[in-house]
Amino acid sequence: MNPSFPSVTFPNHWTLATGLYPESHGIVGNEFYDPELHESFFYKDPKLSWDSKWWHGEPIWITTVLQNVSSAVLMWPGCSTTIHNTTPTYHVDYSDDLSLDDKVDVALNWLDIENVDERPQLIALYFPDVDQMGHRNGPDSKEVNQVISQADTMIGRLVAEIDDRGLSDWVNIVVTSDHGMSNSSLDRLIFYDEILSPDLMQYVGETEAWPLLGIRPNTSDLGIQQRMYDELALWAELHHHPHYQVYQRPDIPEKWHFSHSQRITPILAVPDLGWAFVTHSTFDIKTRKVYRPIGIHGYDNFEEEMRAIFVAKGPAFEAMVGGRGKVVQGFQNIELYEVLAGILRVHPAPNNATLHGRLLPL
């Protein structure tokens, strides 16, 4: 499954939930500035980030509730936000205190609600463990393999518990991710303070979209903005392997669906896979022996290492693709919302999907 661009956490979790590209649902990064609100979104600040003014579109757990189908969401980015004056039937805010097994227990408790009218028909769970370990130790590390094994055991337990309840012919399970991950390296750093002249660096201010370089000049002078773009573009033109491409917002390639929002920076430089933009003030290559995070993502969503996983089990998917053990054609993650809406028999809200709620077997 291809994530949406940029291949980072919050934009893609909201795309999975709404079927909208980030340019449409407004969560264009884990951190970004809105020039109309004159405010910044920061994903680690719940008091700020859960405000509904940031979150456009309608997530599947709101679609269900609005159509009298109950939902339950555990820690999914955006689940604590009120949309259309509505919240999920049940939800658990993000916390670092719950283990993988604790989260499975919560899901099973929801499944075990005796009153069928109160039992959620949609349950969505978020597990950040593999991603966190990948950032810390790299996607190819033994530590990541250990966490993947733990996650596999957790999923195995969930499947077994569903089977023990006699629900295997009734419950559909989807295991997916928001993006992939690549390795960073000291040899793959782009010092943009060596590219932009000192008189322009003073106008850079806070950058966005890391490891990409999103620049929103701290001046209204459009001439400064043009000069910044020109210097980045000229440097790339003059070097045989610049390891990045730079765009002004209207010219960002259409394949990324990432130009129709003021929350996207006016200048966006996209590095090659595994490369990252830094300055000498943020990273001293002479004294620091390892660049962190070791695992990194956010690149072109069509890069193989950025791809997400998609594995599904259950009667709806067997009917959709013609049996068990089928491999489906690759698809964009905007499609999942309508797939879930079809399984839940609810009418989907407007979205960017193109497959009309179906996945196609190879």
Side-chain angles (χ1 to χ4, degrees):
M1 185 178 72
N2 278 326
S4 292
F5 183 87
S7 48
V8 291
T9 300
F10 267 56
N12 276 283
H13 273 88
W14 203 236
T15 291
L16 288 166
T18 64
L20 294 169
Y21 289 112
E23 68 174 4
S24 299
H25 63 53
I27 305 299
V28 299
N30 290 339
E31 306 169 29
F32 57 87
Y33 179 76
D34 188 312
E36 296 178 353
L37 297 173
H38 303 289
E39 293 183 55
S40 293
F41 176 94
F42 182 55
Y43 70 113
K44 290 186 178 180
D45 184 354
K47 292 182 180 178
L48 172 65
S49 60
W50 292 150
D51 194 310
S52 60
K53 66 188 176 186
W54 299 108
W55 306 79
H56 303 158
E58 184 179 290
I60 186 66
W61 53 80
I62 298 298
T63 300
T64 57
V65 171
L66 290 175
Q67 298 178 51
N68 299 314
V69 176
S70 58
S71 62
V73 192
L74 183 146
M75 300 188 191
W76 195 282
C79 73
S80 301
T81 301
T82 300
I83 305 292
H84 303 326
N85 296 315
T86 305
T87 60
T89 313
Y90 311 96
H91 89 274
V92 176
D93 291 332
Y94 184 85
S95 169
D96 287 322
D97 297 331
L98 290 184
S99 69
L100 293 174
D101 274 334
D102 290 337
K103 293 177 182 180
V104 170
D105 289 340
V106 172
L108 294 173
N109 287 337
W110 282 330
L111 270 179
D112 289 339
I113 293 175
E114 187 171 352
N115 187 333
V116 69
D117 294 327
E118 297 177 358
R119 187 184 309 149
Q121 301 303 298
L122 167 73
I123 296 175
L125 311 174
Y126 171 47
F127 305 93
D129 306 68
V130 176
D131 178 75
Q132 291 173 346
M133 191 61 73
H135 283 304
R136 193 174 305 135
N137 294 286
D140 303 320
S141 64
K142 64 179 182 180
E143 291 86 357
V144 164
N145 285 339
Q146 290 169 354
V147 174
I148 289 173
S149 179
Q150 293 166 10
D152 183 69
T153 299
M154 175 269 296
I155 294 168
R157 180 194 164 208
L158 179 62
V159 172
E161 294 275 8
I162 289 172
D163 187 56
D164 288 345
R165 287 162 170 76
L167 295 175
S168 294
D169 292 333
W170 299 93
V171 173
N172 297 283
I173 303 173
V174 173
V175 178
T176 189
S177 64
D178 47 352
H179 51 69
M181 188 172 286
S182 179
N183 284 295
S184 64
S185 170
L186 283 177
D187 300 324
R188 295 196 294 271
L189 300 178
I190 304 170
F191 289 89
Y192 64 90
D193 53 348
E194 294 181 355
I195 301 173
L196 292 175
S197 55
D199 67 313
L200 288 181
M201 280 297 297
Q202 65 179 312
Y203 296 107
V204 170
E206 294 291 330
T207 57
E208 302 173 32
W210 182 90
L212 287 63
L213 177 62
I215 300 177
R216 192 183 302 276
N218 55 17
T219 173
S220 59
D221 186 343
L222 294 180
I224 295 293
Q225 176 179 312
Q226 186 64 47
R227 285 178 58 203
M228 285 183 176
Y229 168 77
D230 289 343
E231 287 195 1
L232 287 162
L234 180 61
W235 197 93
E237 182 181 337
L238 294 177
H239 289 75
H240 187 55
H241 293 294
H243 299 295
Y244 72 85
Q245 296 173 302
V246 63
Y247 309 95
Q248 297 196 72
R249 184 170 56 226
D251 301 321
I252 294 174
E254 183 60 32
K255 69 173 184 174
W256 288 334
H257 299 275
F258 198 68
S259 61
H260 300 295
S261 172
Q262 293 298 308
R263 294 178 178 180
I264 300 166
T265 55
I267 299 171
L268 184 69
V270 182
D272 292 350
L273 187 72
W275 289 73
F277 281 97
V278 296
T279 64
H280 288 284
S281 63
T282 58
F283 188 85
D284 186 348
I285 201 168
K286 294 179 181 179
T287 60
R288 297 175 66 178
K289 301 185 183 304
V290 177
Y291 181 74
R292 295 185 182 279
I294 296 175
I296 194 169
H297 53 85
Y299 303 100
D300 182 342
N301 55 310
F302 293 100
E303 289 279 3
E304 185 173 357
E305 290 184 32
M306 292 300 101
R307 289 178 186 165
I309 63 168
F310 178 86
V311 183
K313 175 184 185 295
F317 291 101
E318 291 177 26
M320 188 181 300
V321 300
R324 298 183 180 184
K326 302 289 185 178
V327 177
V328 297
Q329 297 178 25
F331 62 95
Q332 186 79 21
N333 64 353
I334 55 169
E335 307 294 345
L336 184 58
Y337 170 80
E338 280 207 357
V339 169
L340 297 179
I343 292 172
L344 292 160
R345 298 189 176 124
V346 294
H347 183 71
N351 63 83
N352 295 132
T354 61
L355 296 179
H356 310 294
R358 295 194 62 82
L359 300 179
L360 306 175
L362 279 177

